């Protein structure tokens, strides 16, 4: 029997070559997406991912896909705040550099961007601020992400600082605001616009990327160009980038002033003083964290053979010094082996072989420590929007 779900999946798949929500909208399938359970699990051009919402598209990656050092483009998570996501033709795309603190506004085509500036490649983890929000107790409002709102990739592009140098920065410059081509359905919806402190915009690792894992960016991950801010959570990694403004005043849009903020007293300094109040600051640097990628909570395994426990660990750019694994709920810890180092902004794969002597229940935990000496807390740090969940993971498995 070809049920509706199957039909839509197939239809979505056949749209993959052309790609894009606009096609789904034209085919009338997008309307079905909002409320009905019979929506595709695979966006055009993507493999089936875990759907949180369809409009706007929010899909997380199943954690067993994190078994590779780089997350394949067609398995990479997708996160949008607004539902109107135009399909951009490279010939029509322009990047506009402006703002009140720029000397000579610039407009660049994708060819100019590729040709006129030095290209660099960097491995970096793209991590949603709200990854693991669904694990907060008590629950907090927002998308109830599991652990798959992240992905590690090799990004190729040009330095934002080189592009800004082309326009010339005035002494009055304070922040750099960033906007993409997507927008809300209603004119009243605030556009997803973010800003960076000038120093971070001028950091040599801050890129305007046009390639991901050796291929053009997928539509859903920001084609034809997006920001890469290695070490900072992905809220600043603006997709379908169209406007970069160098400004002399703190940017006061909704997504800076109201959203993506954390209490100042509970987290390390945010490095974004122009956006801080007495009590709150924007979320910025990624905290040290780890994830077990090949075991599930509640899983039953045969006792007969050794189990290789595998995972990934990351932080905001100091790099991972060690990962320890416990199988007895944190009484004893064993040092895991770290795999290849792709640079301080990449996650690091690790593994450790557990050779259980008896059947029974085991509490598996993993704990990463960065080169700065920071380690994961036993419980997540409470904050109203459920960001930065980096508590030590606890998984219970049965060996039968
Ligand atoms: N244009 C645009 N860029 C955006 C967003 C968005 O809604 N629109 N969301 C940001 C957030 S919060 C995240 S987590 C990342 C997700 O990147 P991905 O969809 O490529 O995985 O994109 C960022 N860039
Ligand atoms: Mo995010």
């Amino acid at each position: 029997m070809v049920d509706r779900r199957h039909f839509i999946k197939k239809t979505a798949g056949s749209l993959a070559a052309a790609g894009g929500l606009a096609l789904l909208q034209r085919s009338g399938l997008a309307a079905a997406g909002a409320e009905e359970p019979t929506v595709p699990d695979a966006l055009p051009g993507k493999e089936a991912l875990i759907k949180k919402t369809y409009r706007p598209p929010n899909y997380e990656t199943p954690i067993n896909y994190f078994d590779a050092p780089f997350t394949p483009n067609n398995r990479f998570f997708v996160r949008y705040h607004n539902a109107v996501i135009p399909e951009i033709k490279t010939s029509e795309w322009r990047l506009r550099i402006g703002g009140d603190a720029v000397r000579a506004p610039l407009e660049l085509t994708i060819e100019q961007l590729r040709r006129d500036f030095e290209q660099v490649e960097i491995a970096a983890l793209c991590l949603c601020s709200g990854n693991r929000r669904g694990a907060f107790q008590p629950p907090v409002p927002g998308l109830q992400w599991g652990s798959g709102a992240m992905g590690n990739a090799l990004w190729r592009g040009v330095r934002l600082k080189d592009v800004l140098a082309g326009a010339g920065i005035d002494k009055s410059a304070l922040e750099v605001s960033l906007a993409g081509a997507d927008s809300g359905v209603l004119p009243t919806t605030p556009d997803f616009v973010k800003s960076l402190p000038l120093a971070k915009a001028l950091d040599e690792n801050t890129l305007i990327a046009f390639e991901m894992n050796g291929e053009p960016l997928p539509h859903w991950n920001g084609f034809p160009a997006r920001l890469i801010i290695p070490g900072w959570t992905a809220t600043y990694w603006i997709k379908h980038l169209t406007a970069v403004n160098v400004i002399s005043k703190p940017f006061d849009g909704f997504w800076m002033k109201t959203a993506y903020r954390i209490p100042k007293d509970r987290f390390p300094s945010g490095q974004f003083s122009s956006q801080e109040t007495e009590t709150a600051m924007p979320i910025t640097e990624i905290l040290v964290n780890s994830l077990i990628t090949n075991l599930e909570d509640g899983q039953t395994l045969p006792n007969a053979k050794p189990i290789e426990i595998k995972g990934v660990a990351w932080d905001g750019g100091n790099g991972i010094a060690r990962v320890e694994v416990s199988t007895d709920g944190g009484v004893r810890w064993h040092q895991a082996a770290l795999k290849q180092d792709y640079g301080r902004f990449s996650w690091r794969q690790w593994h450790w072989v557990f050779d259980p002597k008896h059947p029974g229940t085991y509490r598996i935990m993993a704990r990463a420590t960065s080169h700065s000496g920071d380690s994961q807390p036993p419980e997540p740090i409470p904050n109203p929007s459920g960001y930065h969940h980096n508590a030590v993971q606890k998984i219970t498995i049965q060996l039968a």
Side-chain angles (χ1 to χ4, degrees), residues 46 56-59 61 76-82 85 126-131 145 148-151 155 178-183 191-194 212 217-222 225-227 233-241 255 260:
K46 292 276 183 185
N58 283 297
Y59 286 69
T61 304
F76 210 91
F77 84 107
V78 175
R79 203 270 182 264
Y80 281 98
H81 296 77
N82 287 323
I85 304 158
C126 179
L127 171 79
C128 181
S129 318
N131 194 33
W145 294 113
M150 64 171 178
W155 309 95
L178 312 154
D182 46 325
S183 56
D191 252 4
F192 192 70
V193 182
K194 300 288 296 188
M212 177 177 173
L217 292 174
H219 168 70
W220 303 110
N221 302 104
R226 78 176 301 173
L227 252 291
T233 66
T235 176
Y236 301 97
W237 297 36
I238 295 294
K239 302 188 278 188
H240 320 287
L241 184 71
W255 299 103
Y260 287 102

